[in-house]
Amino acid sequence: MAKRNSASNSESWSYEAKVAEIEGIITRIEAGELELADVFEQFATAIESLRQCENFLQQRQQQVDLLIETLSDN
């Protein structure tokens, strides 16, 4: 499996789109719309998307912390 671009490296990446994708996967799994093999594949996709979202949020939290620190220093 090829490694996907991280959230910070892809201009077309969208946190909201990833969350919607994850929600769609969960809905399909819960509805029983997928064959068992597809469930595992979609679950793996959802986990990778969650990791990307987590990385995105961590990066943004670091930026906010830096801005707060900069404001506190002034």
Side-chain angles (χ1 to χ4, degrees), residues 26-42:
I26 292 169
T27 298
R28 288 191 303 276
I29 290 172
E30 290 178 340
E33 296 177 4
L34 304 170
E35 298 291 327
L36 186 57
D38 293 332
V39 168
F40 289 112
E41 182 181 320
Q42 291 296 299

Side-chain angles (χ1 to χ4, degrees), residues 55-72:
N55 288 338
F56 173 83
L57 292 174
Q58 286 176 349
Q59 290 171 357
R60 295 313 177 260
Q61 182 64 49
Q62 289 173 351
Q63 289 175 338
V64 168
D65 291 345
L66 181 60
L67 289 171
I68 290 171
E69 184 179 312
T70 301
L71 289 173
S72 297

